[in-house]
Amino acid sequence: RLHDHINQIKALNKSIGQYDKMIKTSFDQHEKAALFNQLPGAAAQLAPRLLAAFCLINPDEANEMQTRVGIAPIRVQSGKSTKTFMRQQCPKFLRQTFHEFARCSVNSSGWAKAFYEHQTKVKRCSPHAAKRALAYKWIRILVANWKSNTPYNEMEYIAALQKRKSPLAELILCN
């Protein structure tokens, strides 16, 4: 009985390996792969998922992508009170992809780390809310790159933040 389970696991691992190779080949051959293969923290696992999300939605604007993947919050206002909720009606795997990318980018991107730490330490957001807020920012950047067909460049982005005198630029300098 145990031997049968071990053989099934070996067969599954072989099949998964074949799928991984097909995904890598398809990703490498895609005309827009360069937009995703050098993203901070994306690596071999998340870059193809991000590309697939953009190919599925092909957004014209960042808010379209943020809403469709479930990263944009829902704000309900009544009188002077406002409540914010996480979107439930969305493709969970797409939301998870951007959430995971945001988490991974914190270790590889200076501004992403500064933003995440500000959200968790100063604004006292939960780690998940901070990752969603970071994913929200990333989607704005990635849609601009998608539309202009220009790969992301960390130094150019930070320089643009500094030029605009963005509060985020000051956070980067403090880290």
Side-chain angles (χ1 to χ4, degrees):
R1 194 88 171 125
L2 179 62
H3 190 279
D4 291 339
H5 291 299
I6 290 171
N7 286 337
Q8 286 177 341
I9 290 170
K10 286 179 181 178
L12 281 172
N13 284 340
K14 182 179 177 185
S15 185
I16 290 169
Q18 291 169 340
Y19 277 112
D20 285 343
K21 286 178 186 172
M22 288 190 299
I23 290 169
K24 181 179 177 358
T25 300
S26 295
F27 176 75
D28 290 343
Q29 292 174 354
H30 196 281
E31 65 186 76
K32 293 212 176 201
L35 300 179
F36 299 93
N37 65 4
Q38 297 297 317
L39 288 174
Q45 291 74 32
L46 289 171
R49 288 170 55 183
L50 291 167
L51 173 62
F54 273 82
C55 287
L56 282 170
I57 296 171
N58 194 15
D60 289 325
E61 295 183 16
N63 64 352
E64 175 188 6
M65 189 72 169
Q66 292 160 333
T67 302
R68 300 256 319 261
V69 301
I71 290 297
I74 297 174
R75 289 193 176 91
V76 178
Q77 187 172 2
S78 177
K80 292 183 180 179
S81 68
T82 302
K83 294 193 181 216
T84 304
F85 300 95
M86 184 176 86
R87 287 183 188 275
Q88 297 298 322
Q89 298 295 335
C90 65
K92 305 300 188 268
F93 188 70
L94 290 181
R95 181 174 62 205
Q96 177 187 355
T97 296
F98 285 94
H99 193 271
E100 287 177 20
F101 170 61
R103 177 185 54 85
C104 292
S105 73
V106 168
N107 298 325
S108 306
S109 168
W111 76 264
K113 180 178 182 180
F115 180 84
Y116 178 79
E117 288 180 355
H118 181 74
Q119 292 289 308
T120 55
K121 294 177 181 171
V122 177
K123 289 192 168 185
R124 301 255 190 241
C125 292
S126 73
H128 290 295
K131 288 173 207 161
R132 284 191 303 274
L134 179 56
Y136 188 89
K137 285 210 170 288
W138 267 118
I139 289 172
R140 294 182 64 79
I141 295 165
L142 296 176
V143 167
N145 293 134
W146 178 260
K147 287 173 65 176
S148 68
N149 203 29
T150 307
Y152 171 76
N153 182 309
E154 179 89 0
M155 293 298 116
E156 285 179 15
Y157 183 69
I158 292 172
L161 290 173
Q162 291 168 338
K163 184 178 178 182
R164 289 193 327 255
K165 297 189 184 331
S166 166
L168 185 51
E170 291 178 27
L171 295 175
I172 297 165
L173 296 174
C174 295
N175 268 338

